[in-house]
Structure formats: C-alpha cells, structure tokens
Amino acid sequence: MSSRGILGVGSALVDVLGRIDETFLPRVGGEKGGMMMVESERQDEWISALPLPPAMAPGGAAGNTIFALAHMGMPVAMLSKLGRDDCGKFYRQRLQEAGGSDAEFLETDAARTGRCLSLITPDSERTMRSYLGASQLLTAAEAAAVDYSRYALVYVEGYLLFLPDVVPTVLRCAREAGCRTAMDLASFEVVRIFREPLLELLQHDVDLVFANEEEAAALLGDGLSEQEMALRLSRLCEVAAVKLGRRGSLIARDETLTAVSAVPAQAVDTTAAGDSWAAGFLYGYLNGLPEAVCGQIGSLVAAEVVQVMGSELPPERWNAVREKMKNMKA
C-alpha cells in the first residue's frame, strides 16, 4: 500500500466496563440493554457504586476501527477532540502503544473526554450510559485545518453527522487532497435523521460505504433484498459492503456481488464487531486484495472480537489473527 496512513474521524470515547448484577440496573433507569446520553457527573456516581473496579478500554465507532488497523500493522491516526484529563491521556497512550499516531488529536478545557459506561449483567447484555464530552466540540474549521495529503484513506463514522458541517468538510478536504474516503453509516437512527444529506454525500464524496441491513434499508427503503441493497449502494459509491452479522456480508462493486461467510465463533460480546469487520476489510482494500479476501479478513477480525469482553483483543490473539491473515493473502 501507499506509505501514507489511514485517518479515522469520530468520537474518541473511553469505554468503562463494569460487571454488575440485575439489582444494580434500577440505579441508572431506562431499559436494560439500551443506551442513553447522560452527564459525566452521573457516570461518576454510578462508577463509584460499582461492586468491582471497572475495566477501561479505548472506544468509539471510528476509534474501534482505527485501533484494530493499528494492531494489524497499518499506519493510523485519529481526528477527534479530547479533554485535558486522565481519560484523554489514556486514549492517546493506548493509540501510541498500538502503533498509531496521536498527532491529529485536539484538546479542550471546555469538556471532559467522552466516556461510555457499559454495565454488563451476567447474561453478557450491555446497558450503556454515554457522555460524548469533548468529542462533540469538534468544529468544521478544525477539520478543515488538517493536512489530509498525509493520508491514503479517511474513514468517517456516521455519528459525526450530528456535528454541524464537520462530515461534509472532512470528505471534501480529503478528496481535494487525493485521499480515498470511506464512511460507516453508524445506526439506522442516524440514517433516518440524515437520509437526504447522506445520499448526497455518498454519491459525490464517498468511495466506500459500510452498512448493516437495517441501515441500508433505512437509506434505500424497505422491501429490497439484501443483494439489491448492496448493488444499489454500489451505484452511489465505488464499493459497498452490507454486513449481515452471523450470516456474513455482501460486497458490491461494478455490478458484481460477492458473498462472504462469517467465521464461526462463540460470541461473548458483540461490541465493535462491525467496526472490526470494517478494519479487516480496509486492511485488505489498502493492500490491493480482491473483495472476497477483504471480506474474509473482516470476518476473521470480527469473529475474534466477539469472543472477548469489550473491543480489545489481548496481544496473543492479535498474533494469531496476523498469522491467519498471512495465509489469506497468499
């Protein structure tokens, strides 16, 4: 691949993983398994009341993809805003330890680094209470100031559509600098809110699009088969990938459809599965591999991630992944 790297653009959130029993859930309100936005002070209260000290891991949608790519040996950086606090230092340090660059992070005193509190019950279900914090203060002017010519590809998470003009600015500047552009649609709720601007962005400013079947249906309309959704997305972008969970994925390019099977796995936690799949696919894409092999690498990485709690694989698991990838590339 090019010596230039991959820039992820998204919300840099620290995942705080707390194991609880069912009796803890009434403290946080809402439905079990759901996600709610809360203030940082409420998170502090719940974290201090946890029965066991929580684990911490770098997170966020684009962050999960960028960290996985770093562990796969790709040169990466991430554009996001951090608070000047311990969580911000933690996020920077972990990206450096994974082999990535922290050069594009911005800092602010106006808010704390974002966190996602994940409360994990014995049945492995997660109830999430999130605070976006500093990550939601990124501006279009700050995004425009980045030197995108240093990167071969810019990867954007759809959640950033909530920040005024940031995503269009990133994509426009990236393409003007000669970068490839990729975007993950994030969630069907995001797609429903931003459907019309998304269609414009995908048609004019995005080379690769990643979606699951719910997101694709929200964008294109109900009643279409998964195969037809993938093909229609590929008429907007050069490459379209529709992720189907345990049923694998569909990749469309130039009216050609490629079906890729999932790698069987005993899932413990599906957090970051789609983000990890995107990392594997992008690794293959940037190394010039065929779409089928790109998808197979995506399936491999996703299968490994769902077998551990949280989004991080231990070093020995990454060693095994890299060995398997060598055989796929041969």
Side-chain angles (χ1 to χ4, degrees):
M1 70 164 265
S2 164
S3 60
R4 296 185 298 161
I6 305 142
L7 178 65
V9 187
S11 296
L13 306 179
V14 173
D15 289 339
V16 181
L17 312 170
R19 292 187 176 275
I20 60 168
D21 59 27
E22 302 284 343
T23 62
F24 192 93
L25 288 175
R27 291 173 181 259
V28 303
E31 295 184 25
K32 177 183 176 182
M35 192 278 285
M36 293 172 56
M37 293 296 175
V38 298
E39 292 300 315
S40 181
E41 291 74 18
R42 298 303 306 277
Q43 286 183 326
D44 289 338
E45 293 175 16
W46 298 327
I47 291 170
S48 65
L50 289 172
L52 296 170
M56 290 175 58
N64 291 332
T65 300
I66 290 301
F67 272 84
L69 282 163
H71 284 292
M72 296 160 75
M74 302 294 277
V76 300
M78 188 168 172
L79 173 61
S80 187
K81 189 167 278 191
L82 303 170
R84 288 191 178 91
D85 52 27
D86 289 341
C87 282
K89 293 175 184 176
F90 169 83
Y91 206 98
R92 279 181 179 273
Q93 181 177 344
R94 292 301 279 270
L95 185 56
Q96 291 173 332
E97 290 172 351
S101 167
D102 69 344
E104 304 295 359
F105 283 127
L106 302 170
E107 289 187 336
T108 180
D109 291 314
R112 296 169 67 174
T113 300
R115 295 183 302 187
C116 176
L117 174 60
S118 292
L119 301 169
I120 307 163
T121 42
D123 59 2
S124 296
E125 188 165 5
R126 286 177 168 233
T127 301
M128 294 180 287
R129 298 294 178 263
S130 298
Y131 163 74
L132 296 179
S135 68
Q136 62 187 331
L137 302 181
L138 182 67
T139 68
E142 290 168 333
V146 173
D147 180 4
Y148 293 93
S149 66
R150 293 188 289 188
Y151 301 98
L153 182 138
V154 174
Y155 176 79
V156 182
E157 65 178 59
Y159 292 113
L160 285 196
L161 288 165
F162 287 103
L163 304 186
D165 298 323
V166 167
V167 172
T169 298
V170 168
L171 294 174
R172 184 188 72 251
C173 292
R175 290 177 70 82
E176 288 174 353
C179 299
R180 309 297 286 167
T181 57
M183 186 172 188
D184 184 271
L185 298 190
S187 75
F188 65 86
E189 294 98 339
V190 170
V191 176
R192 286 174 180 169
I193 294 169
F194 297 102
R195 182 176 181 274
E196 292 305 319
L198 255 178
L199 287 168
E200 283 290 316
L201 289 171
L202 294 178
Q203 187 168 10
H204 299 293
D205 295 309
V206 178
D207 297 308
L208 298 90
V209 60
F210 298 91
N212 62 29
E213 62 267 44
E214 291 180 329
E215 294 154 6
L219 184 73
L220 302 172
D222 295 324
L224 299 174
S225 68
E226 293 156 351
Q227 292 81 3
E228 183 59 28
M229 287 192 292
L231 288 169
R232 290 198 184 189
L233 283 173
S234 72
R235 292 165 193 155
L236 295 171
C237 305
E238 177 185 325
V239 180
V242 177
K243 299 168 288 185
L244 305 173
R246 293 181 178 179
R247 293 182 294 117
S249 58
L250 293 169
I251 303 159
R253 181 175 188 168
D254 295 331
E255 296 299 317
T256 298
L257 197 63
T258 301
V260 178
S261 299
V263 173
Q266 186 65 42
V268 172
D269 178 10
T270 59
T271 300
D275 303 329
S276 301
W277 190 96
F281 186 93
L282 289 173
Y283 174 92
Y285 176 84
L286 289 169
N287 280 284
L289 301 178
E291 277 79 27
V293 179
C294 296
Q296 289 164 8
I297 297 174
S299 294
L300 168 66
V301 180
E304 288 290 332
V305 166
V306 300
Q307 295 180 70
V308 299
M309 191 64 66
S311 61
E312 285 193 306
L313 292 178
E316 63 273 15
R317 298 291 284 269
W318 274 120
N319 291 336
V321 168
R322 288 188 287 265
E323 284 300 313
K324 292 177 182 178
M325 286 167 52
K326 290 178 183 178
N327 295 329
M328 291 180 173
K329 293 163 62 178

